[in-house]
Structure formats: structure tokens, C-alpha cells
Amino acid sequence: MNPFDEKPIKPEETILDWKSLYPKPYDKNEVDPWTKARIILMNGIEVEAVIFGHNFHRHCPDQNLRREAALCRRSEAMQQKTVNWLSPGDESQLEQTIGYEHLAVDLTAWLAQNVPDKYVKACLDFALLEDFDHLYRYANLLKMDRNIPAHELVQQYVEITPGRPTIAHHRFPYESVKKPVNFKKADIMTVLAVMIITSGEQQTMNFYMNMGPTYENDPGRMLYQEIGMVEEQHVTHYGSLMDPNSTWLESMLLHEYLECYLYYSFYTDEPDRRIKKIWELHLEQEISHLHAVKDLLKKYEKKDWSEVVPGEFPELLHFHDTKEYVREVLAEQVELTANREKFVPVSELPEGHEFFKYQDLVNKSTRDVPSHMVIRDYIAKNKKDYRSEDQENPVKALTSRTKDETNLGRKA
């Protein structure tokens, strides 16, 4: 599909009334986990669109351009509210969190399998193992506090077993700054992958830092705080891949093209007819936004849209089983850590490296690290941890069900 070939509706026609803005939420007991993943991701994509729009607004000196951008942003905000309000009121924040981490695993794995840029793939694989471990930590908290087995929520689409231990995720800030991608030279799939994963991780960061303090007990509040800090690292990690040389209007056009791409991808896949209609409506609205920004780019920067994006979409994003891929990455890369822009086994870091100094600062005692306190408490009550595995964990150090590993990935 080429969205530039489509006839757009007028920008004013994208504005909704209150009845249209408030959708019927999904049934948390019936929703397909990948439908839920699409909803979580599109909420993050729309949040990014609105935040980007506000930042553009604050840095734009032209009043007429600010007005045009404001009209587009109002429509984006309505889309965000529609998508976010699909989540039902009887779904707890921890149940939603399982959906967030399931999305992180399957989305990151799909992008890593489809992105042509090897460095971006390495960045995806690296953080994949950390979100995979977060799913395991939250799943144990859910089983301990609510007696809800997380594998029922994800319908066994993803395994629940340790990844790179969360204690090893805490690195000095310099290690999260990666090499930016030149968007003008990169394959469009690489560009879209960077934008998608940055938006998705940003939404997870926002969700945890806002909802974490409202959790019902201290172990849960502490777990959200710790993993929320890791998500901030991930947003820096992925956000540093964004091209800093893109202009505001080039970036705005990329945002609109991305949204068209995702809504079309999800429209083609969505099994829920009611939600499929929402994806179709939003695609129509995004095509309108895309054409409006295309005209702004021409008017203010004298550039044609084809200088920024291609017409035809690349391969559409389809969620599918990524279990074997995750297992392969886990087996091969669990001991990697970051050394500035590179990824290396922790054993190759020189003595006195800033990674070890930061570990000593934040992890003074492993007994005080929330992600490991949760597992220790669960094992103490239930004799072994909670998992949902198709087969034993591929990393020998992570196979124990009675002791949580705290050295892997952080000590030579």
C-alpha cells in the first residue's frame, strides 16, 4: 500500500464527538493477547505523536505552522484516548503490565528478525533479554499477590522464564548512548523499527513511573520503581538511535507515515471486528494527517515527501510466535553487557570499568534489589519459582527453580 496514493479526508473531519471517542473496552478474559499488544503499542505510538507535537509547538516560531500542527495534534490526542480507553476498568495495573512485557518481547523479537541494519538488530537483541526477564519478575509478583498465572493472560504465546537477570541491567548512563542512524541513508524498515521501539519503550517507562507508586504493597512498588529505571535506560538506548539531523517537519512526516504503516498492518491482522473498525478509522485519519504534513513540508522546507520516505510500505508488522528466536538470543547473549556503543561479554570489561562502579552504587546488597526480593519471597512461600516453559531454560545458570541467579551478566 502507498498511503500517498489514497484520497485524504479533510483534517476537520478527523475530529470526533464524545460518543465516538469513548469505545467499548475489551473483555480481559476473552481478548486475544496480540490484540491487547496492538492496543498497548498504538497507545504508545499516539502518546509519542502527541508529545512530539507539543515539543515541536514549543520550538516553532511561525504561528500559522503552529496552528496547522495543533489541528493535527488534537486529532492524534483523540486517537490516543480512544485506544487507551479500550483497556477495561476491571483490569488491574499488574495484569496490564504482563501485557506490556509480552508486547516488549514479541515486538522486539519481530523487529530484530526483520530489521536490515545489523547494529540496530544488536541493540534490539540486547534489550530483548532484559524485557524478557521483567516479564518473569512481574509474573511471579502476580502469582504471589493475586494467584493469577500469567501464562493464562498471554495464552502461552510467550514463555515465562528468567532472562538476563534484572540486577545486571543497571549500568552507568554512558552505556545507554548508542550510535544514531542516518535516516536518509537507512532502509525504511530500519527507520520504522527505531521509531516503533522507542515509542513502545517510552510508553512502558511512562506507565511504570506513573502507576508504580499506586501498587498495593511495598514489594510491588519497589519492583515497579526498579524496572521503571531500567525502562528509562531503554528509552535512552533506543532514542539515541534516532537521527538527530532530521528537521522538525521531516520528523513529523515520519511519525505520520509510521502511524499509517502500523494501523494498516494491524487492520490486516486484527481478528476482533469491532477493534478492526477502529484501526480502519484511524488509518483513514492518519492518511489525512500524512497528506497535511506533506503539504507543510513542501511549503516551509521546499521538500517533496519522497525525499523523506518511500511510498510503498515495507513488510507489514505481524505478531507471531517468537519463542525459538528468544531462546536462541538468550543462549548466545545472556552474558553481554554494554561498553559505551558496543556490546561485550561482562568478562571482557576492564577492572574498574564504570559498569562495576555503578553496580556497587545501586546494588550494595543483592538482598535489597527488588527484582530479586520478589523471586526470593515467592520461592520462600512456594518452594520454587513460577515459570511457564515449553522446555528447560537454555542457560544452565538459569535452570534452578529454587535459587535466583544474581551474578550472571554482572560479574566476570
Side-chain angles (χ1 to χ4, degrees), residues 92-154:
S92 71
Q93 69 189 78
L94 191 47
E95 289 173 302
Q96 286 188 51
T97 297
I98 297 301
Y100 269 78
E101 294 299 348
H102 174 211
L103 165 67
V105 172
D106 275 350
L107 175 65
T108 309
W110 188 92
L111 292 172
Q113 289 174 292
N114 288 275
V115 70
D117 187 290
K118 291 182 180 180
Y119 184 71
V120 174
K121 180 185 186 304
C123 291
L124 289 160
D125 285 340
F126 183 76
L128 166 64
L129 299 187
E130 302 190 341
D131 287 320
F132 189 60
D133 193 69
H134 298 167
L135 174 62
Y136 163 73
R137 309 284 159 179
Y138 282 124
N140 275 264
L141 181 66
L142 179 65
K143 190 70 170 66
M144 183 162 55
D145 285 357
R146 301 292 178 86
N147 197 30
I148 297 175
H151 69 267
E152 293 183 0
L153 300 183
V154 299

Side-chain angles (χ1 to χ4, degrees), residues 3 52 57 84 88 113 120 129 133 142 181 226 246 254 263 275 293 300 329 331 340 351 363 403 410:
F52 168 82
H57 173 79
N84 200 23
Q113 289 174 292
V120 174
L129 299 187
D133 193 69
L142 179 65
V181 175
E226 181 190 0
S246 294
L254 281 167
Y263 279 126
I275 293 176
V293 177
Y300 287 93
V329 177
R340 301 295 173 96
E351 187 177 348
N363 299 324
K403 184 179 179 182
R410 64 184 287 262

Side-chain angles (χ1 to χ4, degrees), residues 35 48 98 119 122-123 134 169 178 188 193 211 215 219 232 239 282 286 318 324-325 345 364 382:
T35 291
E48 161 62 21
I98 297 301
Y119 184 71
C123 291
H134 298 167
H169 304 177
K178 304 306 173 189
I188 188 60
M211 298 301 294
Y215 195 73
E232 193 281 329
H282 286 192
E286 292 299 348
H318 298 299
E324 283 307 311
Y325 181 79
K364 291 181 178 179
N382 300 281

Side-chain angles (χ1 to χ4, degrees), residues 8 45 94 101 122 209 248 251 273 291 317 357 396 407:
I45 294 292
L94 191 47
E101 294 299 348
M209 71 181 182
W248 283 103
S251 296
R273 292 184 179 181
H291 282 257
L317 198 164
K357 293 179 180 179
K396 186 177 180 180
N407 290 327

Side-chain angles (χ1 to χ4, degrees), residues 364-407:
K364 291 181 178 179
S365 169
T366 57
R367 294 193 62 80
D368 296 332
V369 180
S371 55
H372 297 279
M373 289 168 60
V374 165
I375 304 302
R376 187 175 68 243
D377 290 350
Y378 189 93
I379 292 172
K381 292 179 181 179
N382 300 281
K383 308 304 181 186
K384 61 181 181 180
D385 65 356
Y386 167 75
R387 300 186 182 198
S388 176
E389 301 171 315
D390 291 352
Q391 51 188 301
E392 192 175 57
N393 193 297
V395 178
K396 186 177 180 180
L398 300 177
T399 56
S400 174
R401 301 285 307 276
T402 59
K403 184 179 179 182
D404 192 24
E405 172 61 45
T406 59
N407 290 327

